Amino acid sequence: MRTLRSTYRSIGIAGLMAAFLTVSGCSETPLQSDQSSAPDSSGDVRLLTRTVAGKATVVDINALDADAWLTTSKFIEAETGGILWVGNWNVGYSIFYVPPGALRESTTITMSISAYGPCAVRMEPSGLEFNRKTRLWLSYWGAEVDSRKEEAKLKLFYFNPATEGWELVSGSTADFSTLRVKANLRHFSLYAVGTNP
């Protein structure tokens, strides 16, 4: 197994600008409700986990205590959009981009990533939906995968409380150069990196 840590060292201003330039094309496409997520076909989702600072790997996201989450909040203007990022040197940095016009009204957005256990993010306010595509880059820095082939299978899943199961966010892919899974989001939920064999 290899631990995914050494691909990048800092995000800095250049990293945020690169992220912004990468997603700037997202702002022009209205989001189609049937294109951003699809049901998990096998029902067998394995979440990717990491151990940080001596904490035991925990698979159950609900078992994580309050200090297991790194959190940031930002007021995002509907007309101008914005970028949120949260993380540290142990778990990498996750980024969320809101293009202009994606929000129906200006909103305070909260983004919390897990500091150990599942590579997960909580986006709030829960259930918020968008007029246009938004983009999430969820870090899986510090997780262990068997090979590049296994890393290529990493996808983003969201927890559906109605079915009490994980559902695939279609179009999500692993970005090996930044150790993040990237995906367009249509609504806020609890998201995690995993595989669906």
Side-chain angles (χ1 to χ4, degrees), residues 101-155:
L103 292 169
R104 290 180 179 91
E105 60 186 14
S106 299
T107 306
T108 297
I109 292 177
T110 301
M111 179 177 178
S112 303
I113 63 166
S114 58
Y116 61 88
C119 299
V121 63
R122 285 190 304 220
M123 304 297 294
E124 296 173 314
S126 183
L128 180 67
E129 294 185 359
F130 304 102
N131 297 324
R132 296 174 186 252
K133 293 179 183 178
T134 62
R135 178 67 66 99
L136 173 69
W137 290 266
L138 179 54
S139 172
Y140 56 92
W141 176 295
E144 293 182 351
V145 294
D146 293 327
S147 65
R148 180 56 66 95
K149 182 178 178 182
E150 290 301 309
E151 189 176 357
K153 294 179 183 178
L154 295 177
K155 303 289 182 192

Side-chain angles (χ1 to χ4, degrees), residues 38 69 71 83 102 115 151:
W69 298 92
T71 301
I83 295 176
E151 189 176 357

Side-chain angles (χ1 to χ4, degrees), residues 2-75:
R2 61 189 185 100
T3 301
L4 303 172
R5 288 190 185 271
S6 60
T7 300
Y8 67 108
R9 287 285 173 210
S10 67
I11 191 163
I13 300 290
L16 286 174
M17 290 306 294
F20 177 77
L21 293 173
T22 301
V23 299
S24 61
C26 292
S27 64
E28 298 304 318
T29 309
L31 188 63
Q32 301 299 318
S33 60
D34 60 347
Q35 292 182 353
S36 284
S37 61
D40 160 28
S41 58
S42 75
D44 182 28
V45 174
R46 287 182 292 169
L47 300 182
L48 186 65
T49 62
R50 60 181 154 223
T51 301
V52 176
K55 297 275 189 178
T57 300
V58 178
V59 175
D60 182 3
I61 292 175
N62 296 318
L64 294 177
D65 51 30
D67 68 351
W69 298 92
L70 304 171
T71 301
T72 190
S73 293
K74 185 174 182 181
F75 185 74

